[in-house]
């Protein structure tokens, strides 16, 4: 159902470097770069994550209650991806662990304060 999601950045070159290194762990790369936005994914026909400077040219601000969750593939995958995000400068918002039966997730904030999670169901 999801085509793409975008999150804002106030330092696009820094955000691109962060997400290029992080999402490469999932096999993703920049599929489209239009200057003020870069879209990461595996294939243009699959959901993508976009990093952009806001269209209205106002500062990017993380939204309260907004979060993007990315599949980790397994519990070990969640652990690995979460650790990679932290090593790239992300801040902890909840270390990987079981949140409810069958749901395992690790939460972090990127360099601009956007909240993301890696998760595994099952």
């Amino acid at each position: 159902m999801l085509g793409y999601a975008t999150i804002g950045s106030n330092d696009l070159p820094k955000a691109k470097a962060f997400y290029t290194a992080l999402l490469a762990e999932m096999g993703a790369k920049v599929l489209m770069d239009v200057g003020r936005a870069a879209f990461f994914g595996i294939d243009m026909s699959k959901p993508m994550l976009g990093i952009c400077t806001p269209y209205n040219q106002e500062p990017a601000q993380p939204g309260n209650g907004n979060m993007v969750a990315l599949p980790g593939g397994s519990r070990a995958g969640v652990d690995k991806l979460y650790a990679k995000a932290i090593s790239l400068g992300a801040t902890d918002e909840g270390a990987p662990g079981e949140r409810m039966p069958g749901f395992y997730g690790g939460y972090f904030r990127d360099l601009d304060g956007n909240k993301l999670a890696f998760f595994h169901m099952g």
Side-chain angles (χ1 to χ4, degrees):
M1 179 194 289
L2 183 67
Y4 67 91
T6 61
I7 53 178
S9 177
N10 291 306
D11 188 338
L12 199 53
K14 195 170 168 182
K16 282 186 199 177
F18 175 85
Y19 282 102
T20 296
L22 179 60
L23 299 179
E25 299 286 325
M26 301 174 72
K29 63 183 179 186
V30 174
L31 296 177
M32 185 170 50
D33 191 331
V34 295
R36 59 169 283 282
F39 292 85
F40 293 83
I42 307 228
D43 181 293
M44 292 291 284
S45 67
K46 296 190 177 359
M48 294 180 287
L49 178 65
I51 311 303
C52 65
T53 56
Y55 184 76
N56 66 3
Q57 300 179 357
E58 296 293 325
Q61 298 179 8
N64 186 25
N66 296 344
M67 182 179 71
V68 174
L70 304 169
S74 66
R75 288 175 179 228
V78 169
D79 293 346
K80 179 182 175 187
L81 291 162
Y82 170 86
K84 180 71 174 188
I86 298 301
S87 78
L88 292 168
T91 56
D92 172 54
E93 279 288 317
E98 191 160 358
R99 300 298 192 255
M100 64 182 84
F103 182 85
Y104 188 84
Y107 302 83
F108 65 95
R109 290 197 183 264
D110 72 4
L111 306 179
D112 285 289
N114 296 299
K115 189 172 181 180
L116 292 94
F118 289 113
F119 75 98
H120 179 69
M121 300 287 282

